[in-house]
Amino acid sequence: MGRKIAVIGAGADAVATVSQLIAQRDTQDSVYQDDQITWIRDCSHKIENFGISVNTIWITLLATNTTISTIDYFKRFDALQKIGLKFIGFGARRDKNFHVLFDPCEISMHLDERKVCEFYWENVQKQHFNLELVDKRVSSIEFTDDKALVDGEEFDFVVDCVRGGLWDKDAYTPAFFNPTDTKLTINRKIDGDWDYTAYIACEHGYLTGIPTQDAQTWIYSYDSDITTEEEANADFSKHCEVKKYCSYKKTESDHLTSDYMIHENKLYSRCGRALGMNDDLTGYTNYVETDAAEAIAEFLFSDPERPCNNMMRMEVEERWIDLQIDHSTLMAFYVQYGAQYGTKFWDKTRNDACRFLENKNLHSADRMEVYDKLENMLPKEENLRLDYHRHMAQEEYHLRQRMTDNSDEPYRMLGPYQSLCQASHGLGAAYAKYFPMMSPLWEPPEKFGEINLDPIVGGQFRKRTKRAPKSS
């Protein structure tokens, strides 16, 4: 009998964690196939039929480690393909909303979280070995020198995916940048036919619109230190008429993220919702949670002779810091110019975003080379946020490098060159005009701040051809 490893949690993040552990445990040349993975979830705690956004890394994980097919996504999980993001009322341009469209090789989807989680729970044992499913609510996690005790049962390692963590609850610190701490979510039983995640700047927060085949999920995110629930509800209702359709679900969290991914005792780890990435502007949280699951799985299974050693743990912790910086950078980039409202929420969000993006010291060891290069490129008196991309655009060597797939620069999670161009032009960045483009931008037809959820594929950008009239 090998080790016993417990995963505690219920959502799409727990699905990714279990999948990553199985994939790493059972890989070629693995010596850990005798290890038992026990997935523990409280089935009495209902997973809502809310739409969620999953990206390439999550979809690829399930595609390469299960027999879940493309048809399953559309037939079982009510999925719709997601081809990008749309920002309504964000930025400094004030004439147009804007899209950030994914490159053609990226696969992302919107799907029903409850349906995918229930299907995985009910069917995963049909394919995989040494996997135990336990339906119960965990009351306690304790530790001896070499064992974890989950409600008194011994395990060699625990992965906690429960929001706020089930143990060591004080080990959370303020996030680098996290503008909201509370969500109001509704699920309207109206078909969603747009093919992007919609972000709408509201007076006291922002709305996220996620379509699935038979419903629309709307999430109003705000900062409870600034906005009351009554104000948030009223602002939400201006756009979604909350009371008319259904009551909302309130999710309260904080502005904190976990101090660690793997505890120094090397018996306990946090993944998924337990990491604290509660603000999901841009949809990057799904990537972070899935990548974190991979890091934990590698810690457990990648070394056949010395698993779970301290050097590996430190590498995981460095990866966790990088993920936090990347997550915060992506959110901050899209709100650095504010929005259509000059309210307290947006003033604070914009100021916090600018301070974060302008902080040259917020980088991990493997980014030192980037910042050393930066010192030669950007004079010390100039501003990283405002001047870095201007210098890059005006210096051919750096611009040509940014156009490649191998670019290395501070705001690395902005994506490929085309995404940087779309975001910079859409937000109204002063340096955007310096970026050469082969294809002009496809801009939405409506005015800035006006809500238009027409689909892109098959919508206003569809190529229409004139057919010759039939002969009589």
Side-chain angles (χ1 to χ4, degrees):
M1 182 67 180
R3 297 172 297 177
K4 290 179 61 180
I5 298 164
V7 177
I8 308 171
D13 54 332
V15 168
T17 302
V18 172
S19 297
Q20 289 282 24
L21 294 184
I22 293 171
Q24 291 289 333
R25 181 196 64 181
D26 295 347
T27 192
Q28 184 178 1
D29 301 325
S30 172
V31 299
Y32 297 112
Q33 289 192 4
D34 286 339
D35 288 0
Q36 178 177 287
I37 297 168
T38 300
W39 182 11
I40 304 171
R41 61 168 284 204
D42 179 8
C43 294
S44 68
H45 178 75
K46 179 184 175 183
I47 301 174
E48 301 286 350
N49 289 106
F50 291 156
I52 60 170
S53 175
V54 293
N55 59 26
T56 303
I57 183 175
W58 192 95
I59 294 170
T60 302
L61 172 64
L62 265 65
T64 53
N65 294 287
T66 75
T67 56
I68 294 174
S69 70
T70 303
I71 295 176
D72 286 313
Y73 279 94
F74 292 104
K75 290 289 189 180
R76 300 184 190 278
F77 312 146
D78 291 342
L80 290 176
Q81 187 171 5
K82 167 184 170 180
I83 66 170
L85 315 174
K86 184 172 186 177
F87 292 88
I88 299 173
F90 286 77
R93 273 183 59 175
R94 304 305 163 108
D95 63 333
K96 287 279 189 180
N97 299 319
F98 67 96
H99 298 119
V100 177
L101 304 178
F102 300 149
D103 64 73
C105 63
E106 179 164 343
I107 301 173
S108 295
M109 291 187 183
H110 298 126
L111 49 82
D112 184 314
E113 182 174 27
R114 182 181 183 184
K115 290 181 178 179
V116 70
C117 292
E118 294 296 348
F119 180 84
Y120 193 90
W121 173 266
E122 292 167 5
N123 294 281
V124 64
Q125 286 180 309
K126 295 177 182 178
Q127 177 178 337
H128 291 294
F129 302 88
N130 273 14
L131 175 65
E132 180 186 24
L133 305 184
V134 176
D135 175 6
K136 73 169 184 176
R137 181 182 180 86
V138 173
S139 300
S140 68
I141 300 178
E142 299 173 312
F143 296 92
T144 65
D145 289 342
D146 60 352
K147 295 291 182 182
L149 303 176
V150 179
D151 291 342
E153 182 179 355
E154 286 190 353
F155 287 91
D156 296 285
F157 195 81
V158 173
V159 186
D160 183 356
C161 298
V162 178
R163 191 185 305 277
L166 293 170
W167 180 76
D168 199 19
K169 290 179 176 290
D170 293 332
Y172 287 85
T173 52
F176 292 119
F177 176 72
N178 189 1
T180 69
D181 64 1
T182 308
K183 296 177 181 178
L184 308 180
T185 306
I186 65 170
N187 203 41
R188 295 173 59 181
K189 291 298 180 181
I190 305 172
D191 295 353
D193 62 353
W194 64 96
D195 44 13
Y196 44 82
T197 304
Y199 297 101
I200 304 172
C202 302
E203 190 172 357
H204 302 297
Y206 69 88
L207 269 174
T208 303
I210 299 176
T212 55
Q213 289 180 38
D214 64 353
Q216 301 176 11
T217 296
W218 288 96
I219 307 163
Y220 184 93
S221 302
Y222 66 100
D223 185 348
S224 63
D225 294 331
I226 297 174
T227 305
T228 66
E229 184 175 346
E230 291 71 24
E231 290 172 325
N233 188 2
D235 201 14
F236 197 172
S237 295
K238 291 176 185 176
H239 303 280
C240 283
E241 298 181 85
V242 176
K243 293 180 180 178
K244 179 178 178 181
Y245 292 102
C246 55
S247 60
Y248 57 77
K249 178 182 178 180
K250 182 180 179 181
T251 305
E252 297 177 279
S253 49
D254 46 44
H255 299 277
L256 307 178
T257 51
S258 178
D259 288 350
Y260 53 79
M261 197 183 296
I262 299 176
H263 190 269
E264 61 185 7
N265 67 13
K266 292 178 285 189
L267 300 172
Y268 173 80
S269 67
R270 288 176 177 154
C271 196
R273 289 173 171 87
L275 291 172
M277 314 296 276
N278 66 284
D279 195 314
D280 199 24
L281 180 67
T282 73
Y284 189 62
T285 301
N286 178 253
Y287 175 92
V288 171
E289 294 174 347
T290 309
D291 190 73
E294 181 184 61
I296 293 167
E298 290 174 352
F299 171 77
L300 286 167
F301 302 116
S302 66
D303 192 326
E305 297 179 356
R306 298 176 61 245
C308 307
N309 63 67
N310 204 52
M311 181 65 71
M312 295 170 68
R313 188 185 73 84
M314 295 305 296
E315 289 174 356
V316 171
E317 295 313 297
E318 289 179 4
R319 188 164 167 178
W320 171 225
I321 292 172
D322 263 4
L323 285 171
Q324 292 178 77
I325 293 174
D326 289 341
H327 184 265
S328 295
T329 298
L330 201 54
M331 288 194 297
F333 192 86
Y334 283 97
V335 297
Q336 63 178 306
Y337 298 102
Q340 59 185 324
Y341 299 101
T343 56
K344 186 176 180 180
F345 170 81
W346 283 108
D347 286 346
K348 183 178 186 302
T349 296
R350 182 185 184 281
N351 290 335
D352 289 349
C354 291
R355 278 194 294 269
F356 171 75
L357 293 172
E358 291 164 8
N359 189 340
K360 295 181 185 179
N361 296 319
L362 274 178
H363 55 84
S364 57
D366 66 334
R367 296 188 188 194
M368 287 299 294
E369 199 173 307
V370 176
Y371 280 82
D372 287 344
K373 181 181 73 175
L374 191 64
E375 291 301 326
N376 299 323
M377 178 176 163
L378 187 69
K380 291 183 178 180
E381 68 273 11
E382 290 193 352
N383 183 290
L384 172 63
R385 178 180 68 88
L386 297 176
D387 296 309
Y388 173 78
H389 285 112
R390 176 175 59 81
H391 278 285
M392 182 179 70
Q394 294 177 330
E395 297 182 22
E396 183 179 324
Y397 172 82
H398 296 293
L399 178 62
R400 289 169 66 174
Q401 185 190 56
R402 184 62 178 88
M403 291 181 185
T404 70
D405 196 34
N406 254 347
S407 173
D408 195 6
E409 41 96 21
Y411 305 146
R412 62 186 184 180
M413 290 317 299
L414 294 178
Y417 181 71
Q418 64 171 296
S419 297
L420 172 64
C421 289
Q422 292 175 77
S424 301
H425 279 274
L427 290 167
Y431 51 76
K433 61 186 177 183
Y434 298 116
F435 291 140
M437 294 183 293
M438 181 184 297
S439 173
L441 295 175
W442 297 97
E443 296 186 321
E446 74 273 4
K447 297 178 181 178
F448 178 78
E450 181 180 315
I451 299 174
N452 177 3
L453 298 177
D454 286 344
I456 297 173
V457 176
Q460 70 263 29
F461 297 119
R462 181 180 179 182
K463 182 178 179 180
R464 302 185 185 278
T465 57
K466 293 182 179 180
R467 296 185 179 182
K470 293 182 180 179
S471 58
S472 56

